[in-house]
Amino acid sequence: MTPQTTAFPIGQESGVLVLYNQSEAIAHGEARDLVAIQGVVACAQAVAEALAAGHRVVKVPVTTTVEEALRPYPADSWVLFNLCEGVNNR
């Protein structure tokens, strides 16, 4: 089962959110830092696939703020699996 990557209508669904940081480039540091970030994306995919065997799973990339990424998902309906290590090099 492939994990979903889009939001469900609020109040109609629940399940597990896999939160992870996603960056296309790094603002500072070394090239290997981008490899580490890409590793988080691969890890999020693996976790989502494992959880999808028994749960509804939505992968949630964080590109701006955690609050913005989680806004569509009511906290009382979703369990959060947090792999986000930072946003915008913070």
Side-chain angles (χ1 to χ4, degrees), residues 53-78:
H55 303 279
R56 179 175 303 278
V57 178
V58 178
K59 294 187 323 180
V60 182
V62 178
T63 57
T64 55
T65 67
V66 171
E67 294 82 7
E68 184 177 318
L70 294 177
R71 189 169 289 127
Y73 308 99
D76 62 349
S77 299
W78 294 89

Side-chain angles (χ1 to χ4, degrees), residues 6-62:
T6 57
F8 296 107
I10 292 176
Q12 294 184 7
E13 299 290 340
S14 64
V16 181
L17 303 174
V18 178
L19 188 73
Y20 62 99
N21 50 294
Q22 182 173 4
S23 299
E24 300 301 321
I26 55 173
H28 61 287
E30 300 178 23
R32 67 180 179 199
D33 295 332
L34 184 56
V35 173
I37 292 168
Q38 292 167 340
V40 172
V41 175
C43 183
Q45 180 65 30
V47 167
E49 288 174 2
L51 290 170
H55 303 279
R56 179 175 303 278
V57 178
V58 178
K59 294 187 323 180
V60 182
V62 178

